[in-house]
Amino acid sequence: MSEAFRGEFNQKVDGKARVSIPAPFRRVLEAGDPAFDGSRPKFVLIYGRPGSDFVECYTIAQMKLLEAKIRRMPPGTPQRKALERNFITLSQLVEVDDDGRIVMPPKAREKLGLDADALKDGAEATFAGTLDTFQIWRRDAYEATLATEADADFDFLEDGADLLSLLPTDPEG
Amino acid sequence: MSEAFRGEFNQKVDGKARVSIPAPFRRVLEAGDPAFDGSRPKFVLIYGRPGSDFVECYTIAQMKLLEAKIRRMPPGTPQRKALERNFITLSQLVEVDDDGRIVMPPKAREKLGLDADALKDGAEATFAGTLDTFQIWRRDAYEATLATEADADFDFLEDGADLLSLLPTDPEG
DNA sequence: CCCGTTCCCATGAGATTCCATGACACCCCG
DNA sequence: CGGGGTGTCATGGAATCTCATGGGAACGGG
């Protein structure tokens, strides 16, 4: 199971809003697309979730799991509507082209703050893997946020405790 | 099954009440119309459900599922009547033309508040995908509602909790 | 014959496809 | 150990196509 998004990558965004998907991520997207036939894997890009500074990307398989969970919730409840809105309506299916790129959809550009000017000036995006999904950031926003949050990670810990102590205790160790 | 309505699209409504169906949605409508033969897919437009500010659109296939469920209900009960009225009587079969457009039926226009004046002034509609169906709104109404509801979404959440925590807890994670 | 539709064509903007290039990394063989 | 050679990747540019949208002609029913 190397089928996981891992690591960080910086990619240029050109004037037409095209970005290369990092090759290792492509491998995972291909594995996670049941309709993949050798080229052009698809995936789902989520631009909802106000408050966050990035867009989140799900493989087809992973999104189906999420959809199934949402469908199991009672229809019409505010909770379900909230999830539908943020993960279905505010999302978009995208296809990786034969050169390994996608065009950033307008809504995603908007969320990241990639306007026409930024594209002209040669914008850069950061791809950050988070196991089952990956995130796309504007590079500068990513670096600023990382600096802040890396500190916050340690707020949970007693002085001197190890990060791994946060893991659930589990018989298999 | 990438056959799902997903994302938001804005389209102009011209003086003759014509609107383009977003191309990605067209693909889904085609797939969901058993009689589709290369052009002019049909679908069902629902303008019942008073209180809602949009009309809802079902593929033929999806509507058949809904019909089957209604038929399984005991005839004559108020519950069944309510569903029949709102999803069958207050609905209409429409056909996408060769340019990818439909004419907004008068009943739908009425529900959305698209009168002759609004059409003259160049009205805009928003299409919002919700997996099995999609909704058509007047753009301004959509944006206003989205803004309101997006805030409401976070009322369910403890401070700092993630939207995904709304999912039912489930052994398979 | 008139009004409301439906059909057909035109057009520009935006999206997709295709080709080209340069930078690396890796491998095989001398 | 070195040196090509080969392949993958990221990236740029240009040709081509699709889509949304507007205008007008044809049509049909009352």
Side-chain angles (χ1 to χ4, degrees), chain B residues 69-126:
Chain B
K69 282 185 196 161
I70 291 177
R71 275 196 249 260
R72 258 181 263 131
M73 299 175 73
T77 59
Q79 289 83 356
R80 174 163 172 166
K81 281 185 178 170
L83 289 164
E84 284 176 346
R85 183 181 345 279
N86 284 285
F87 290 93
I88 310 293
T89 305
L90 302 176
S91 79
Q92 186 162 350
L93 186 69
V94 295
E95 191 181 62
V96 181
D97 71 19
D98 286 327
D99 296 335
R101 292 186 276 202
I102 60 165
V103 193
M104 271 286 187
K107 298 281 190 179
R109 272 180 256 174
E110 202 175 295
K111 183 167 175 87
L112 300 186
L114 284 174
D115 51 27
D117 288 340
L119 294 184
K120 290 257 156 46
D121 302 345
E124 259 187 298
T126 296

Side-chain angles (χ1 to χ4, degrees), chain A residues 46-126:
Chain A
I46 290 176
Y47 56 86
R49 301 236 253 172
S52 67
D53 239 15
F54 54 84
V55 297
E56 192 166 23
C57 301
Y58 281 71
T59 65
I60 303 291
Q62 208 53 240
M63 178 49 68
K64 279 191 181 157
L65 292 178
L66 180 55
E67 287 169 9
K69 284 184 197 166
I70 291 176
R71 277 197 241 254
R72 256 180 264 134
M73 299 174 75
T77 58
Q79 285 84 355
R80 175 164 171 167
K81 281 187 179 168
L83 290 164
E84 284 178 345
R85 173 167 323 106
N86 284 286
F87 290 94
I88 310 292
T89 302
L90 302 177
S91 81
Q92 187 159 348
L93 186 71
V94 297
E95 191 181 62
V96 181
D97 71 19
D98 287 326
D99 296 334
R101 291 186 276 201
I102 60 164
V103 288
M104 273 284 185
K107 297 282 185 180
R109 274 180 253 174
E110 204 176 291
K111 182 166 176 93
L112 300 185
L114 284 174
D115 50 27
D117 288 339
L119 294 183
K120 290 256 156 49
D121 303 344
E124 256 186 300
T126 297

Side-chain angles (χ1 to χ4, degrees), chain B residues 11-12 16 18 23 26-27 101:
Chain B
Q11 306 290 130
K12 300 239 168 105
K16 300 178 198 172
R18 292 181 299 185
R26 243 140 58 200
R27 300 291 104 75
R101 292 186 276 202

Side-chain angles (χ1 to χ4, degrees), chain B residues 129-147:
Chain B
T130 61
L131 277 193
D132 292 337
T133 66
F134 66 92
Q135 305 171 347
I136 309 179
W137 298 67
R138 227 182 45 213
R139 178 171 180 172
D140 50 9
Y142 178 74
E143 284 173 357
T145 305
L146 185 59

